[in-house]
Amino acid sequence: MPAPPIRLGVNIDHVATLRNARGGRHPDPVKAAAVAIAAGADGITAHLREDRRHIRDDDIARLKASIEKPLNLEMAATREMVEIARKTRPHAACLVPERRAERTTEGGLDAAGGGEPLRAAVAQLAEVGIRVSLFIAAEPVQIEAAVAIGAPVIEIHTGAWCEALAAANASAAATEFAHITRGAALAAGVGLEVHAGHGLDFASAEKIATLSEVIELNIGHFLVGEAMFEGLAGAVRKMRAAMDRGRAKIGSGAR
Ligand code: PXP
């Protein structure tokens, strides 16, 4: 059976970071979203943080009103954010930790320790048709908790793996990748849709695209950084090509 296609969600948070550095309107993350979509992004991701340090409420409203591809809203599972999401109705919401206490040691959301408040947030979002994912480490206990909480999707936190790659620590990177590989298989086996993200670049995106269970990558910081050198459209096109190369290796034994 051929592997399912892999989607690219472009996270435009750091376009807003740059805009906010001067306090004006330029560069506009909504324009960046349109450019990314024209260059091959399958969706746009934006994180409305409690402190509004990059994306602002108005950006979310404008994104929702103008982009032609699905909007994935990253958010903390707070009452305020759930209300905004229910009002905005993005296609998807990814629940992420914003405070130390909500995080596991790997940096993902502590779904296992999140209890009733997390379950309630998932239910309130799902009730209005938002597809909810949990940003978690590839740990069996977190994956099982995601199922118990009723989230249909998880996004595996790739930060530790990407850090090991950046530090050229081959053995730590291999350990982390094996961990992600096992987690993706476990999650898909229990019926979860599997996404991945955090810290990905061209090489790591190509590599993780070799995991057939992973059907979406959400990538931001690296793409916005690369945009300095070759433009956002060029960076998105190169990322799409890297992911397609990785996907093409499935079944060829060329991981
Ligand atoms: N996925 C999630 C859930 C995130 O919180 C982030 C960071 O905002 C990303 C993906 C993208 O990470 P990066 O900006 O390192 O590509």
Side-chain angles (χ1 to χ4, degrees):
M1 209 171 62
I6 183 162
R7 298 190 296 257
L8 170 59
V10 173
N11 179 315
I12 40 93
D13 291 350
H14 297 302
V15 178
T17 302
L18 188 55
R19 175 196 60 190
N20 297 356
R22 274 286 169 93
R25 292 193 182 172
H26 183 80
D28 183 2
V30 180
K31 179 172 178 185
V35 168
I37 289 170
D42 300 293
I44 296 297
T45 295
H47 186 176
L48 186 65
R49 297 187 72 101
E50 289 178 80
D51 64 6
R52 310 309 199 260
R53 76 175 68 146
H54 37 57
I55 293 293
R56 300 173 181 149
D57 301 58
D58 169 58
D59 296 325
I60 295 296
R62 290 188 304 126
L63 284 167
K64 169 69 183 170
S66 72
I67 64 171
E68 290 156 11
K69 295 273 176 163
L71 174 64
N72 174 31
L73 175 64
E74 288 176 4
M75 52 179 272
T78 60
R79 182 181 298 186
E80 180 200 15
M81 289 300 155
V82 169
E83 267 172 28
I84 291 171
R86 282 173 60 99
K87 207 169 71 190
T88 312
R89 309 252 175 131
H91 167 80
C94 181
L95 299 181
V96 301
E98 284 198 8
R99 300 203 181 91
R100 194 70 248 168
E102 298 165 336
R103 268 181 227 164
T104 60
T105 45
E106 294 83 9
L109 185 70
D110 187 8
E116 194 43 42
L118 202 50
R119 181 196 299 275
V122 171
Q124 285 159 11
L125 294 167
E127 191 184 46
V128 293
I130 300 170
R131 194 156 168 80
V132 186
S133 70
L134 304 183
F135 184 45
I136 59 172
E139 290 290 332
V141 65
Q142 300 299 339
I143 293 165
E144 284 152 19
V147 175
I149 283 169
V153 185
I154 60 162
E155 179 163 324
I156 294 180
H157 195 314
T158 52
W161 174 52
C162 292
E163 273 169 30
L165 289 172
N169 185 338
S171 90
T175 303
E176 291 296 340
F177 191 70
H179 194 57
I180 291 170
T181 303
R182 280 195 302 275
L186 174 65
V190 294
L192 292 166
E193 183 174 312
V194 183
H195 303 173
H198 201 91
L200 295 170
D201 62 10
F202 294 135
S204 49
E206 178 171 343
K207 173 87 174 167
I208 204 162
T210 64
L211 302 181
S212 59
E213 298 87 355
V214 177
I215 66 151
E216 179 175 309
L217 301 181
N218 284 299
I219 309 178
H221 186 267
F222 176 78
L223 285 174
V224 174
E226 276 297 291
M228 302 287 165
F229 310 118
E230 51 190 322
L232 184 59
V236 169
R237 277 196 290 271
K238 260 194 175 174
M239 185 58 79
R240 190 62 266 173
M243 290 163 59
D244 292 344
R245 275 196 307 278
R247 222 43 170 182
K249 289 177 190 163
I250 296 178
S252 73
R255 268 187 200 179

